[in-house]
Amino acid sequence: MRITAARPLADGVLEHELTLDGIPGVLWTAGPDAPPAPLILLGHPGGLPAMYPRLAARARHAVAAGFAAATLELPGCGDRPRSAAADAARADLRRAVTAGGPVDDEIVDRLVLPLVEQAVPEQRALLDALLARPGIGGPVGVAGGVISLGIRLAVVEPRIAAALLFAGSYVPRAVVEEARRVRVPLLVLLQWDDEGNDRQRALEVFDALGSPEKTLHANTGGHTGVPAFEGDDGNRFFARHLLAGSA
Amino acid sequence: MRITAARPLADGVLEHELTLDGIPGVLWTAGPDAPPAPLILLGHPGGLPAMYPRLAARARHAVAAGFAAATLELPGCGDRPRSAAADAARADLRRAVTAGGPVDDEIVDRLVLPLVEQAVPEQRALLDALLARPGIGGPVGVAGGVISLGIRLAVVEPRIAAALLFAGSYVPRAVVEEARRVRVPLLVLLQWDDEGNDRQRALEVFDALGSPEKTLHANTGGHTGVPAFEGDDGNRFFARHLLAGSA
């Protein structure tokens, strides 16, 4: 991993552009004198250039609450080489959702499973690189993004101690089964009126998740309408599980 | 309404026993020098003597956050005259739940509708009496208890500005329809593994509620296993909607 640029934002937050084996990403931390902070991996749907403003806002909020935050571009998204197979699956999904019918499991599998397979080792390599830096400590939280990726990471990556999952994208049947093996504390966000999502399937995923401590926060509104107060709720969730001695 | 006894609790909270047309209740406030506080009506399943420890804990938590809190015994419960019809309906419900089968709408109607009919004017009379006292201001929040009663109060009582509903009891079909007329901001709690409740029906009720701002918090665990952090979340919900100038 190389840090290719660093600049101060408001509130004493430092933003670092990074590249990991050619994959672009961003790291946000408090100033150099701050004590080591637990790391939150910020998820997104793919496409860092377009997602940057929202991610930076979430990151500043997380740093203000005592965390470091980082994100990495997803395979086939943003400035990374596109995948013809993923683009075709995405187009098929969009057609199925627009037609209002049920979405074939086969389309969801084609879209999500290769993305998860490829992204998980990349995200774990990012953890290796970031946790070696001074100023970033464990444990690690995962927040948002493609829920199937968050589920897989929570199952396979023991450094992850808590996960905030956004139930806003289709989940392959195989990942619903995998969800039963998750054990870390969970906060699951669901937008109740998200027309591009399957609410019943999202509730099935919440039900399947095997964590003894899991909470669902469902709010009125569409995919991008998560209320601002959920940002505070998310910080408090991570504070309970990642910050020693927090309430 | 008469205050029949008053005593200081820890943290400067004052507890007042009250009686309203012979119905026992409790009022909790900050000390006499505190500014007027919004009132939270604390719900419960009926039976104040048994529920007192949990209600007092919730009330102290609410007073510490800047509210006054009050509760009133439900019809047919605690030291009030019992209703043979309600007792029979309750026994029928218990039998149906124990048998594991679906619960007849007719049983739910017999148990819940008369209780709501009788309790609503009593709760509104309590509001009349309490809001006339110095130290208690509007607006009013409803918190927990029999969800059908909370829904009806939110529909008919304009002084109620926010409601925290506990989706932990059977809701008559007529009240599900009535839920569509609720407009105040809502926080709905659901215990995901509550064996004496119908989870699917609870989700239907959440879906039916007509409020533009509504949030569902579902947690693992049984009926009485609401996590302690939901107490803080509830206070913050009421602070957003009842305390002027709060975040």
Side-chain angles (χ1 to χ4, degrees):
Chain A
M1 187 188 79
R2 284 190 307 118
I3 301 290
T4 55
R7 63 172 174 278
L9 304 181
D11 314 320
V13 177
L14 289 179
E15 178 175 276
H16 317 256
E17 288 179 28
L18 62 87
T19 175
L20 178 86
D21 294 330
I23 308 167
V26 190
L27 166 68
W28 294 270
T29 63
D33 300 331
L39 176 66
I40 297 179
L41 276 184
L42 294 182
H44 55 82
L48 281 191
M51 290 300 298
Y52 171 79
R54 275 197 276 169
L55 285 165
R58 286 166 57 198
R60 284 200 304 271
H61 199 64
V63 172
F67 303 101
T71 195
L72 197 66
E73 185 59 279
L74 292 182
C77 297
D79 299 329
R80 298 184 63 180
R82 305 206 59 90
S83 149
D87 287 348
R90 196 171 288 115
D92 288 346
L93 176 68
R94 207 171 291 131
R95 260 191 298 275
V97 169
T98 306
V103 175
D104 273 357
D105 285 343
E106 174 269 334
I107 297 175
V108 177
D109 288 355
R110 264 198 290 135
L111 178 62
V112 178
L113 292 179
L115 180 107
V116 170
E117 286 297 328
Q118 193 179 341
V120 162
E122 294 171 356
Q123 301 275 334
R124 299 184 76 180
L126 179 67
L127 284 190
D128 293 340
L130 291 178
L131 292 175
R133 287 175 66 88
I136 302 179
V140 176
V142 169
V146 177
I147 183 170
S148 299
L149 176 55
I151 290 170
R152 174 73 59 85
L153 280 169
V155 169
V156 302
E157 175 50 69
R159 289 171 290 189
I160 291 174
L164 189 162
L165 303 173
F166 180 44
S169 54
Y170 284 81
V171 177
R173 284 279 164 213
V175 178
V176 179
E177 286 310 307
E178 215 172 328
R180 302 186 196 284
R181 293 164 49 204
V182 178
R183 288 293 176 272
V184 296
L186 298 174
L187 176 57
V188 180
L189 297 189
L190 171 64
Q191 286 299 99
W192 198 252
D193 312 297
D194 185 347
E195 289 176 2
N197 191 26
D198 182 328
R199 185 201 294 164
Q200 195 51 46
R201 177 75 76 96
L203 292 169
E204 273 174 50
V205 172
F206 178 72
D207 192 46
L209 285 158
S211 301
E213 179 180 336
K214 60 179 176 180
T215 302
L216 175 72
H217 283 190
N219 285 286
T220 43
H223 189 81
T224 58
V226 177
F229 57 73
E230 290 293 353
D232 294 322
D233 285 9
N235 275 348
R236 278 187 291 263
F237 166 75
F238 283 122
R240 280 204 305 276
H241 298 292
L242 304 184
L243 295 177
S246 284
Chain B
M1 186 187 81
R2 283 190 307 117
I3 301 291
T4 55
R7 63 171 174 278
L9 303 181
D11 314 320
V13 177
L14 288 178
E15 178 175 276
H16 317 257
E17 288 179 28
L18 61 86
T19 175
L20 178 86
D21 295 330
I23 308 167
V26 190
L27 166 68
W28 294 270
T29 63
D33 300 332
L39 175 66
I40 297 179
L41 275 183
L42 295 182
H44 55 81
L48 281 191
M51 289 300 298
Y52 171 79
R54 275 198 276 169
L55 286 164
R58 286 166 57 197
R60 283 202 304 270
H61 198 65
V63 172
F67 303 101
T71 196
L72 197 66
E73 185 59 277
L74 292 182
C77 298
D79 298 329
R80 298 184 63 180
R82 305 207 58 91
S83 149
D87 286 347
R90 196 170 290 116
D92 289 346
L93 176 68
R94 207 170 292 132
R95 260 191 298 275
V97 169
T98 306
V103 175
D104 273 358
D105 284 344
E106 174 270 333
I107 297 176
V108 177
D109 288 356
R110 264 197 291 135
L111 178 62
V112 178
L113 292 179
L115 180 108
V116 170
E117 287 297 329
Q118 193 178 342
V120 162
E122 295 171 355
Q123 301 275 334
R124 300 184 76 179
L126 179 67
L127 285 190
D128 293 340
L130 291 178
L131 293 174
R133 288 176 64 89
I136 302 179
V140 175
V142 169
V146 177
I147 183 169
S148 300
L149 175 55
I151 290 170
R152 174 72 59 84
L153 280 169
V155 169
V156 302
E157 175 51 68
R159 290 171 291 190
I160 291 173
L164 189 163
L165 303 174
F166 180 45
S169 54
Y170 285 81
V171 176
R173 285 278 163 213
V175 179
V176 179
E177 286 311 308
E178 215 172 328
R180 302 185 195 285
R181 292 164 51 205
V182 177
R183 287 294 176 274
V184 296
L186 298 175
L187 175 57
V188 179
L189 297 189
L190 171 63
Q191 285 300 98
W192 198 252
D193 312 296
D194 185 347
E195 289 178 2
N197 190 26
D198 183 327
R199 184 202 295 165
Q200 195 50 45
R201 178 73 77 93
L203 292 169
E204 272 175 49
V205 171
F206 178 72
D207 192 46
L209 286 158
S211 301
E213 180 180 336
K214 61 179 176 181
T215 302
L216 175 71
H217 283 191
N219 285 286
T220 43
H223 189 80
T224 58
V226 177
F229 57 73
E230 289 294 353
D232 294 322
D233 284 9
N235 274 349
R236 278 187 292 263
F237 166 76
F238 283 123
R240 280 204 304 277
H241 299 292
L242 304 184
L243 294 177
S246 284

